[in-house]
Amino acid sequence: MTQLNSHFYVAIMAGGIGSRFWPHSRTDNPKQFLDILNTGKTLLQWTYERFLQFIPKENIYVVTHVQYTGKVHEQLPELPEENIVNEPSRKNTAPCIAYISHKIHKQDPLANIICAPADHLIMDGPAFTNACLNALLFVQKHSALLTLGIKPTRPDTGYGYIQFEPQQVADNVYQVKTFTEKPNLELAKTFLQSGDFLWNAGIFVWNVNTILSALKQHLPEMNELFEQINDTLNTPQEKDAIEKVYPQCTNISIDYGIMEKANNVYVIPSNFGWSDLGTWASAYENLEKDYLGNAVQGKNVMVIDATKCMVKVPNDKLVLLQGLDEFIVIDTPDVLLVCKKENEQQIKEYVAEIKRNKGEKFL
């Protein structure tokens, strides 16, 4: 590691519950801790190893819900225990980023930080490393809130989009014009044709002072909560202090809270084989298929006249699938999901419906 890298940090955000991957992903064992694609490693482990290529181990933090501390420790035993940062409640990405930014700033006021989700798939490691290093070097010199944008390959309605200005301000760095939440299909097609829109990957890079100044400007009440407990950060008193202030934070994403309001937002258009693995269909896209286009995980699955299905069942269970076209079939010991692929964005709503009708037993 060069001396330069000692001011490079990463905060891996690993506190979500991954409800769109239900019933494989559960509240007590969400998707970031699962081996969704049968690779032999969980999504969190892949994410950690990816950053380990260019960030020193002691500068890698995992921010997670207190419920998952043990899981992070189990899956990343070499990560120093103090680098597992516990959120006492789920409050979306803005409080998570505010917390870790104040914590790192107290330790290193010159820090440059990547904030990235724990559950994304990235196929091209070297291209990802290059994009991240380019981003870190840019934010080290400029007061910029930077995000990595993905060059879209299809008019996807499941992603947010970033529009950027045509002139670059540095090597492959562009100023952001607008953010658009998940568009309808017609709009997504227009975005793709225009050539100046990227998918929002939710990977952010900034100097710690830049993000703290943005928090102060755009989320002043939240920022104030963390400033009040600044003396306790990185001390034994931190846990109690965080338990007091965290529930007072607004539940808001960093996109809504800061990125869409600030005027110093930049993007690096990237292409590193990215998928946010947000849904079963995205897992399907990344799995091997049989000659009928079925992605099958399970040793005893017989397929008859079924096409383009996503199937995940236990190895010891015989499953015969007949006549289904473009379905998701997920079997676990206590839940069986059979759902049309086109309706998979609704799985999150189905989970909420189950909670209302059946309580939390199956979640």
Side-chain angles (χ1 to χ4, degrees), residues 158-308:
Y159 296 144
Y161 285 74
I162 299 167
Q163 186 183 24
F164 60 97
E165 299 284 3
Q167 309 81 11
Q168 57 179 22
V169 296
D171 182 28
N172 201 32
V173 179
Y174 298 81
Q175 184 138 21
V176 169
K177 220 176 187 172
T178 58
F179 284 90
T180 307
E181 274 306 298
K182 299 169 184 177
N184 61 33
L185 188 60
E186 285 314 303
L187 199 52
K189 284 178 179 169
T190 311
F191 288 174
L192 192 66
Q193 284 158 2
S194 79
D196 59 355
F197 281 83
L198 303 163
W199 286 335
N200 183 357
I203 300 169
F204 306 103
V205 191
W206 36 55
N207 177 274
V208 70
N209 297 297
T210 310
I211 186 62
L212 289 182
S213 147
L215 282 160
K216 201 170 192 168
Q217 186 181 346
H218 302 293
L219 294 170
E221 288 161 6
M222 186 187 295
N223 189 61
E224 178 66 26
L225 289 170
F226 291 100
E227 284 192 343
Q228 283 168 13
I229 62 158
N230 192 55
D231 291 351
T232 71
L233 297 177
N234 308 327
T235 76
Q237 284 73 51
E238 179 179 330
K239 182 176 178 287
D240 287 346
I242 283 296
E243 281 173 5
K244 285 193 184 78
V245 302
Y246 218 77
Q248 299 174 52
C249 291
T250 314
N251 186 329
I252 190 170
S253 72
I254 200 75
D255 301 79
Y256 281 132
I258 290 182
M259 302 302 276
E260 293 179 16
K261 297 175 186 169
N263 57 12
N264 57 334
V265 181
Y266 297 83
V267 66
I268 291 182
S270 312
N271 204 347
F272 37 70
W274 172 87
S275 165
D276 78 339
L277 281 186
T279 60
W280 282 114
S282 59
Y284 169 85
E285 295 297 331
N286 290 289
L287 286 164
E288 273 184 47
K289 328 262 189 311
D290 65 15
Y291 71 104
L292 291 169
N294 299 299
V296 176
Q297 294 181 306
K299 287 184 177 164
N300 291 296
V301 180
M302 292 174 66
V303 178
I304 301 166
D305 304 331
T307 57
K308 297 181 183 169

Side-chain angles (χ1 to χ4, degrees), residues 42 55 298 306 333:
T42 68
I55 302 274

Side-chain angles (χ1 to χ4, degrees), residues 31-213:
K31 68 169 178 172
Q32 59 269 32
F33 304 114
L34 302 174
D35 178 6
I36 296 279
L37 299 177
N38 280 0
T39 59
K41 285 179 190 160
T42 68
L43 296 175
L44 174 65
Q45 287 169 327
W46 279 118
T47 303
Y48 174 74
E49 287 179 18
R50 208 178 292 129
F51 285 116
L52 206 51
Q53 303 302 311
F54 60 97
I55 302 274
K57 180 172 68 180
E58 59 276 12
N59 288 10
I60 299 177
Y61 288 83
V62 175
V63 188
T64 193
H65 187 268
V66 66
Q67 182 180 359
Y68 307 136
T69 309
K71 281 199 179 298
V72 175
H73 194 55
E74 200 178 290
Q75 295 195 359
L76 305 175
E78 68 280 23
L79 186 71
E81 212 159 316
E82 61 272 20
N83 287 31
I84 303 174
V85 179
N86 297 311
E87 298 175 282
S89 46
R90 289 187 185 86
K91 289 286 186 173
N92 215 320
T93 50
C96 166
I97 286 169
Y99 179 13
I100 193 63
S101 301
H102 277 278
K103 192 172 163 62
I104 290 174
H105 178 264
K106 194 170 176 204
Q107 184 183 315
D108 179 2
L110 300 176
N112 302 285
I113 310 169
I114 300 170
C115 294
D119 51 7
H120 288 186
L121 175 71
I122 285 162
M123 305 297 276
D124 188 342
F128 178 72
T129 298
N130 286 341
C132 287
L133 287 173
N134 189 15
L136 286 163
L137 291 168
F138 182 77
V139 300
Q140 196 173 31
K141 298 189 184 84
H142 303 89
S143 175
L145 303 167
L146 194 141
T147 183
L148 301 185
I150 308 298
K151 291 171 187 169
T153 53
R154 58 185 184 277
D156 201 299
T157 57
Y159 296 144
Y161 285 74
I162 299 167
Q163 186 183 24
F164 60 97
E165 299 284 3
Q167 309 81 11
Q168 57 179 22
V169 296
D171 182 28
N172 201 32
V173 179
Y174 298 81
Q175 184 138 21
V176 169
K177 220 176 187 172
T178 58
F179 284 90
T180 307
E181 274 306 298
K182 299 169 184 177
N184 61 33
L185 188 60
E186 285 314 303
L187 199 52
K189 284 178 179 169
T190 311
F191 288 174
L192 192 66
Q193 284 158 2
S194 79
D196 59 355
F197 281 83
L198 303 163
W199 286 335
N200 183 357
I203 300 169
F204 306 103
V205 191
W206 36 55
N207 177 274
V208 70
N209 297 297
T210 310
I211 186 62
L212 289 182
S213 147

